[in-house]
Amino acid sequence: MFGIAFMPTFLIIPALIFAGLGAGTTFSLAVMFSVLRTRTVEDSYYLSGMAQSIGNKKAANN
């Protein structure tokens, strides 16, 4: 996002829109993949918890 400071003014809004769409799409795909990977709601619950705990641990170590 630092590059936005050096963009021409008319490109800032489209760049932010594309960045927001990309972030939203990535999150939606991550949730969909975890749901499609499991067969039951309980399995989805446990897989989501495991993935979140691994992600939080990784983020805390950086």
Side-chain angles (χ1 to χ4, degrees):
M1 293 315 250
F2 183 70
I4 290 176
F6 302 109
M7 284 186 168
T9 307
F10 67 93
L11 290 177
I12 291 175
I13 298 296
L16 292 174
I17 289 171
F18 285 126
L21 287 173
T25 302
T26 303
F27 179 74
S28 299
L29 282 173
V31 171
M32 182 186 70
F33 289 151
S34 68
V35 170
L36 290 177
R37 186 78 176 148
T38 60
R39 293 181 189 213
T40 66
V41 175
E42 290 82 14
D43 290 344
S44 177
Y45 172 78
Y46 291 124
L47 180 62
S48 175
M50 181 184 65
Q52 287 179 17
S53 65
I54 291 170
N56 288 336
K57 183 174 181 179
K58 184 176 178 179
N61 288 333
N62 287 333

